């Protein structure tokens, strides 16, 4: 099993390629949807890494992939500029997912 990156910027793509992870570059929502669809056709991809900005281009399909609980595992990663999420994003995510305040 391998990982694949859908990135909105060239720097993240090159960095992941240096780590042995192939990927593609997207600039529009249509390109993001097409790239994710291609990845879903690949049976050997276990992890789909998506930069935060690329995930914003296709929020519906990203959410569907997370909720279905099957491979590939979807992981949003920050780009070279850092994360857009707040410091408490993990706590808020758990609260939304299971309804428990931490």
């Amino acid at each position: 099993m391998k990982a694949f990156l859908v990135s909105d910027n060239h720097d993240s793509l090159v960095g992941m390629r240096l780590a042995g992870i192939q990927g593609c570059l997207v600039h529009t929502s249509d390109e993001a949807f097409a790239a994710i669809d291609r990845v879903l056709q690949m049976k050997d991809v276990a992890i789909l890494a998506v930069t935060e900005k690329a995930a914003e281009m296709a929020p519906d399909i990203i959410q569907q992939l997370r909720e279905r609980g099957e491979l590939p595992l979807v992981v949003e990663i920050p780009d070279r500029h850092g994360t857009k999420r707040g410091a408490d994003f993990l706590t808020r995510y758990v609260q939304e997912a299971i309804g428990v305040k931490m």
Side-chain angles (χ1 to χ4, degrees):
M1 299 307 244
K2 61 183 180 179
F4 193 88
L5 172 69
V6 176
S7 177
D8 67 300
N9 67 72
H10 187 69
D11 295 331
S12 296
L13 185 62
V14 170
M16 294 299 262
R17 282 188 178 159
L18 289 172
I21 297 173
Q22 293 299 311
C24 64
L25 192 60
V26 297
H27 296 290
T28 66
S29 292
D30 290 338
E31 289 177 355
F33 278 107
I36 292 169
D37 189 48
R38 280 194 312 270
V39 171
L40 294 177
Q41 303 306 316
M42 299 176 190
K43 298 301 178 194
D44 59 342
V45 174
I47 299 172
L48 171 58
V50 184
T51 58
E52 289 177 348
K53 289 183 184 176
E56 288 175 359
M57 294 179 202
D60 296 335
I61 194 166
I62 296 294
Q63 187 65 31
Q64 288 173 2
L65 291 171
R66 283 190 176 139
E67 290 174 354
R68 75 179 190 172
E70 299 175 3
L71 292 178
L73 171 70
V74 178
V75 179
E76 278 187 51
I77 62 170
D79 62 13
R80 66 187 173 102
H81 300 291
T83 187
K84 293 177 152 187
R85 300 175 184 171
D88 66 338
F89 82 92
L90 189 56
T91 304
R92 283 185 294 126
Y93 184 74
V94 170
Q95 287 174 355
E96 291 172 12
I98 60 174
V100 175
K101 285 195 169 196
M102 297 175 63

